[in-house]
Amino acid sequence: MWVKALDMVLEKMKASGFDFSQVLALSGAGQAWLCLQQQHGSVYWKAGASLALRDLSPDRSLYQQLQMCFSISDCPVWMDSSSTAQCHQLEAAVGGARVLSQLTGSRAYERFTGNQIAKVYQENPEAYSQTERISLVSSFAASLFLGSYSPIDYSDGSGMNLLQIQDKVWSQACLLACAPNLEEKLGPPVLPCSVLGNISSYYVQRYGFSPECPLVTFTGDNPASLAGMRLDEGDIAVSLGTSDTLFLWLQEPTPALEGHIFCNPVDPRHYMALLCFKNGSLMREKIRDESASGSWREFSKALQSTEMGNGGNLGFYFDVMEITPEMSGRHRFNAENQEVAAFPGDVEIRALIEGQFMAKRIHAESLGYQVMPKTKILATGGASHNADILQVLADVFGASVYITDTASSACVGSAYRAFHGLAGGVDMPFSEVVKSAPKARLAATPNPGAAQVYQALLPRYAKLEQRILSQKQSL
Ligand SMILES: Nc1ncnc2c1ncn2[C@@H]1O[C@H](COP(=O)(O)OP(=O)(O)O)[C@@H](O)[C@H]1O
Ligand SMILES: O=C(CO)[C@@H](O)[C@H](O)COP(=O)(O)O
């Protein structure tokens, strides 16, 4: 599906008259042609696939030539949470969750690729042994353009529970705990702004790319978004896509039992922190369909017609098992902290959006993050088109929200990273590369009185979250 989608996008661009010879350099974010921007997903290349990649004939589509090249046809993606047993095994093998987090930046998470690979190996050892190379979605996409296997970059590689984030090498203990001969199937990891080589002659002959067009390492959607949003210290980026993610630029790694530390995608000396909330846009869409007749306009009207603080009503909406924190189901509480079965439609909508943003603030603060007077929130992703959602974000955080002209920060970040690679990579500071890029635009400022309302609500939300979690544990 992914290979065919790339064929389709390139064919459409060609049909529209796009001049491929003008492309100076190419990078990407495990994404682009399918709205499939993600981290953690893995692709399994069958023995012999490297030859098919190398010898692509420009007369035929990629799909025609590559469809037999994979040992696993349904690739695990980030939404998979079925590898709990492998997570326990990995933590036990390295000496516990805290040790794993110190080493790789995260305790074991089901979607992290090492645990997914371990599951593939345990459940389908034959397919695993037929695999000559395992790519992340990002390095897979780069491989298609390169005509040979692309290495995994440090930043996307940090989402695997396999990379030692300080030393930037695969952890032998983690590799061993996941599957045999894994190091040779992954290849050595590389700097995020490395030039991998020039584009494969397939694209030169079939689409008219320049034979000198270099490929700069692809990375995950969140690292690419960090590049696209050009964060300053103290700023926080909130991506409101399929998942909601929150990320910060860090000078020093501070791994904990919640959240993730990744190698920074544009500065090899630094890091980024990331929190991922699985119940993002899909949950908002469900509540929109149930309580706002499927219309974002009606959804916005409900936010406009309800007060900040929602009359004390609070809600937790996790139709799929949440990642931060591990919790599922819908839980609604009235102003007296009594659990109730339902809310009127407009109260439901505000409870969802306030709850989602309170969770983000509480979990970011538990990682040591503090809202400061100069804090900017940079919003991106599909829901950042919605001004009323951004207003609630500004109110809950007590900080101004900014957006860039495009909500597709992962795509823009990939273009900046391509330019960074072209301009010399680590020898040139990333801030130089983006210095003439357009500034972010102010989209929402906190309403008067917001700070008092949410100072009271945030501790209530945190206590109710704890209550639900302890009820779950006692079951
Ligand atoms: N006006 C809107 N209000 C709220 N959400 C929106 C609006 N427009 C689009 N979205 C949401 O944006 C989501 C897609 O976000 P996007 O960042 O493109 O996804 P991904 O994270 O998969 O790349 C859709 O699922 C949709 O629910
Ligand atoms: O798992 C994570 C981050 O750790 C997700 O953020 C994925 O990277 C995909 O996100 P969407 O772009 O589909 O929301």
Side-chain angles (χ1 to χ4, degrees):
M1 182 176 75
W2 292 344
V3 172
K4 194 162 189 174
L6 178 56
D7 281 330
M8 288 169 71
V9 166
L10 290 171
E11 288 302 331
K12 280 190 178 172
M13 290 172 82
K14 189 174 168 183
S16 74
F18 183 82
D19 184 357
F20 291 96
S21 71
Q22 296 298 305
V23 178
L24 290 181
L26 202 67
S27 190
Q31 56 136 93
W33 51 82
L34 249 198
C35 259
L36 201 133
Q37 313 185 349
Q38 62 155 301
Q39 299 189 242
H40 319 296
S42 43
V43 177
Y44 299 75
W45 298 91
K46 210 190 243 173
S50 62
L51 301 179
L53 253 184
R54 189 194 64 189
D55 299 334
L56 287 169
S57 155
D59 305 329
R60 294 161 68 219
S61 68
L62 293 170
Y63 174 70
Q64 284 169 327
Q65 299 180 75
L66 295 177
Q67 54 180 306
M68 303 310 288
C69 285
F70 305 101
S71 47
I72 302 279
S73 54
D74 293 327
C75 297
V77 295
W78 76 276
M79 289 183 115
D80 184 278
S81 51
S82 63
S83 62
T84 307
Q86 289 75 21
C87 288
H88 292 321
Q89 289 157 10
L90 177 60
E91 287 182 351
V94 300
R98 208 167 280 282
V99 178
L100 184 65
S101 172
Q102 289 298 328
L103 204 61
T104 69
S106 305
R107 68 165 171 81
Y109 280 88
E110 280 77 357
R111 69 192 191 289
F112 275 45
T113 327
N115 308 305
Q116 293 289 341
I117 295 171
K119 187 174 168 229
V120 167
Y121 165 64
Q122 288 170 23
E123 293 189 351
N124 200 346
E126 205 175 317
Y128 180 81
S129 73
Q130 286 167 1
T131 302
E132 69 180 15
R133 183 78 172 210
I134 301 174
S135 296
L136 291 181
V137 183
S138 59
S139 60
F140 162 67
S143 305
L144 294 178
F145 282 106
L146 200 59
S148 60
Y149 294 138
S150 157
I152 291 171
D153 84 288
Y154 299 152
S155 197
D156 210 11
S158 314
M160 301 174 78
N161 276 146
L162 292 177
L163 188 80
Q164 291 179 199
I165 54 164
Q166 308 237 27
D167 313 318
K168 276 93 174 153
V169 292
W170 299 124
S171 154
Q172 292 302 323
C174 296
L175 292 173
L176 205 66
C178 289
N181 309 319
L182 187 49
E183 189 163 19
E184 68 190 48
K185 293 186 201 287
L186 294 175
V190 291
L191 267 174
C193 50
S194 317
V195 172
L196 301 171
N198 288 345
I199 195 163
S200 144
S201 60
Y202 175 84
Y203 303 88
V204 176
Q205 291 168 37
R206 190 172 169 97
Y207 296 106
F209 276 92
S210 154
E212 262 91 58
C213 175
L215 247 80
V216 177
T217 337
F218 286 30
T219 191
D221 62 340
N222 294 300
S225 265
L226 178 127
M229 297 177 91
R230 296 168 286 126
L231 292 189
D232 285 327
E233 210 179 339
D235 294 346
I236 186 162
V238 178
S239 167
L240 303 169
T242 305
S243 65
D244 286 349
T245 52
L246 212 128
F247 41 89
L248 313 165
W249 181 299
L250 288 183
Q251 307 267 354
E252 290 298 328
T254 49
L257 287 180
E258 183 174 81
H260 318 295
I261 307 294
F262 292 166
C263 296
N264 190 293
V266 293
D267 186 332
R269 294 163 306 158
H270 294 165
Y271 296 85
M272 67 181 275
L274 182 137
L275 281 171
C276 181
F277 301 82
K278 197 171 190 176
N279 292 270
S281 277
L282 300 185
M283 192 65 239
R284 288 188 285 274
E285 280 176 19
K286 267 199 186 172
I287 299 291
R288 176 201 63 187
D289 295 347
E290 292 168 20
S291 303
S293 322
S295 147
W296 287 125
R297 266 187 64 187
E298 294 299 314
F299 191 94
S300 282
K301 275 194 203 156
L303 290 175
Q304 290 159 12
S305 67
T306 44
E307 301 277 319
M308 285 187 294
N310 213 12
N313 296 301
L314 285 178
F316 297 77
Y317 298 83
F318 304 126
D319 277 10
V320 290
M321 176 61 85
E322 183 46 67
I323 294 167
T324 320
E326 262 181 64
M327 184 190 277
S328 62
R330 297 187 186 183
H331 310 272
R332 303 174 184 85
F333 297 89
N334 65 18
E336 283 74 49
N337 292 335
Q338 289 155 334
E339 188 146 12
V340 293
F343 284 147
D346 50 354
V347 175
E348 179 94 322
I349 289 171
R350 181 165 276 278
L352 166 72
I353 300 299
E354 287 189 342
Q356 288 188 329
F357 291 142
M358 282 196 280
K360 288 177 184 55
R361 180 159 178 187
I362 288 163
H363 290 279
E365 287 181 346
S366 69
L367 270 185
Y369 177 75
Q370 278 185 343
V371 177
M372 293 182 280
K374 64 165 198 167
T375 293
K376 288 202 295 289
I377 302 177
L378 294 152
T380 184
S384 69
H385 290 295
N386 189 317
D388 299 286
I389 291 180
L390 296 185
Q391 183 59 53
V392 181
L393 176 61
D395 290 339
V396 170
F397 273 76
S400 298
V401 175
Y402 291 77
I403 48 172
T404 44
D405 281 336
T406 160
S408 305
S409 55
C411 295
V412 177
S414 301
Y416 292 157
R417 291 182 55 262
F419 192 54
H420 192 196
L422 194 65
V426 274
D427 296 336
M428 148 98 63
F430 185 69
S431 53
E432 275 296 302
V433 173
V434 294
K435 67 174 185 236
S436 53
K439 296 272 169 280
R441 270 188 304 116
L442 183 63
T445 47
N447 277 315
Q452 289 88 313
V453 170
Y454 293 104
Q455 259 157 29
L457 272 193
L458 283 157
R460 261 191 71 209
Y461 184 95
K463 272 201 188 132
L464 288 168
E465 187 187 90
Q466 278 311 317
R467 198 210 279 184
I468 303 166
L469 283 170
S470 50
Q471 278 165 358
K472 183 189 117 188
Q473 271 155 12
S474 63
L475 283 178

